[in-house]
Amino acid sequence: MGLSTTTAARWVERWELQQQRYAIDREERFTVIADVVEHVTAGRRHPLVVDLGCGPGSLAVRLARRLPRARIVAVDMDPVLLELARAHAGSGGPAHAVRYVEAVIGAEGWTSALGLDGPLDAAVSTTALHYLPGHRLQRVYGQLAGILRPGGVLVNADHLVPEDASDIAVHVGRRRARRQRAFAHEDWESWWAAAEQDPELTDLFAQRRRLHGSVPGTTGGDAHPTAAGHTAGARDGGGWDSGRRDAGRESARRDDGRGSGNNGLTLDRHTAMLRAAGFGQAAPVWQVGSSCVLVAVR
């Protein structure tokens, strides 16, 4: 169906507002990601960047604004969020420079679905990769290492608890969230409930249920995190692991066995997995509590 740019703009704006409830320091994380990508692509005429779990394009659009010559491919499994992103792009501006792809990260052939014409300069993600169980995430890390150029980076902004003083990191994040959350006026569940009642989105939600089941979980970028170090996806059983039971994609997740919205991997475990996947360097470049921007260099 053709979604109007007006409707898309309205729901993307509401998405941006409700994200502030869950993703404390969200804009700072976006800025840090852009800082990293800008640095590693300096001097490259048309850098190639993939946004993993893009949702309605929040990070991708910001990157396009910061790096107007970049070629940005944004991938997500959720048809509602992708259609909102595409329709919003129709209004012009930075969103117009982003190409959106529907694929399940980690599923068979997902990297081919991206339609890349060369090695990546950067792969970025914000609070999406925690939905992948550890064994699948390890495979995805290896696949990304295989399509990144030497010197290219994977930038993952997520809630990654350190091995040491983890309870303190979670406490700091929770307290910071309480201080900053007063201005947020719509939560994640309310956004989905309201969007599903919009007549212009009815067909999209029917498609979403056919593909991914009825659970309102999504891989949509920064949709679910809280500064307390857990996710709304873990709370409602939705998200990556349980939202696709009726999608006809069971083969992509049959060996999952977790049923959780968060793989529970620590920051230290992520860095070890990245090095095992072939990344030469892996370390956080920004962190407040458990909110972290982890950079791995190919």
Side-chain angles (χ1 to χ4, degrees):
M1 64 173 289
L3 191 63
S4 72
T5 57
T6 301
T7 295
R10 180 173 73 251
W11 286 104
V12 169
E13 181 181 7
R14 285 185 64 169
W15 175 277
E16 293 288 325
L17 289 172
Q18 62 88 15
Q19 287 306 309
Q20 298 173 41
R21 178 176 177 83
Y22 291 115
I24 305 303
D25 295 312
R26 179 175 183 252
E27 289 300 331
E28 177 69 10
R29 287 204 306 259
F30 284 157
T31 300
V32 171
I33 293 172
D35 287 343
V36 173
V37 175
E38 183 180 58
H39 176 69
V40 301
T41 61
R44 302 186 73 83
R45 187 173 182 182
H46 296 291
L48 182 57
V49 181
V50 164
D51 179 9
L52 305 167
C54 65
S58 300
L59 174 58
V61 169
R62 285 165 172 80
L63 286 173
R65 185 181 300 122
R66 179 79 170 266
L67 305 166
R69 298 177 67 87
R71 296 169 297 155
I72 299 173
V73 181
V75 58
D76 203 286
M77 63 175 280
D78 196 300
V80 173
L81 297 181
L82 286 171
E83 187 59 27
L84 286 173
R86 293 187 184 106
H88 193 221
S91 61
H96 188 67
V98 182
R99 178 166 61 88
Y100 293 95
V101 175
E102 183 177 348
V104 178
I105 299 169
E108 186 70 27
W110 77 276
T111 56
S112 297
L114 300 178
L116 305 178
D117 59 4
L120 286 176
D121 292 288
V124 301
S125 182
T126 177
T127 59
L129 296 182
H130 61 240
Y131 290 109
L132 293 175
H135 63 280
R136 181 157 304 137
L137 181 60
Q138 183 69 75
R139 184 166 67 246
V140 168
Y141 279 162
Q143 292 167 331
L144 291 171
I147 60 176
L148 279 161
R149 65 168 173 82
V153 294
L154 168 60
V155 190
N156 182 21
D158 213 330
H159 291 270
L160 307 177
V161 178
E163 294 281 357
D164 298 327
S166 60
D167 58 331
I168 297 176
V170 170
H171 174 74
V172 168
R174 183 178 293 121
R175 296 292 294 184
R176 185 174 179 82
R178 289 174 180 170
R179 289 194 297 270
Q180 297 189 19
R181 193 165 287 158
F183 60 82
H185 57 80
E186 181 173 47
D187 63 20
W188 174 82
E189 292 89 346
S190 298
W191 188 94
W192 282 105
E196 192 164 11
Q197 302 307 309
D198 189 318
E200 197 168 346
L201 299 177
T202 300
D203 291 343
L204 278 174
F205 272 91
Q207 177 188 357
R208 187 175 193 268
R209 284 190 292 272
R210 288 194 300 271
L211 290 175
H212 309 307
S214 59
V215 177
T218 176
T219 64
D222 56 345
H224 314 293
T226 72
H230 57 274
T231 66
R235 200 170 54 241
D236 64 16
W240 193 275
D241 296 318
S242 62
R244 304 196 304 276
R245 275 192 284 267
D246 303 319
R249 300 184 183 184
E250 290 86 349
S251 60
R253 60 175 294 278
R254 192 163 290 157
D255 58 346
D256 186 333
R258 294 186 63 90
S260 169
N262 194 325
N263 57 31
L265 297 173
T266 64
L267 172 59
D268 302 62
R269 182 61 183 146
H270 276 274
T271 57
M273 291 169 65
L274 287 162
R275 291 181 182 277
F279 289 88
Q281 304 173 43
V285 298
W286 178 92
Q287 185 166 13
V288 176
S290 61
S291 184
C292 177
V293 177
L294 175 62
V295 175
V297 183
R298 178 70 174 92

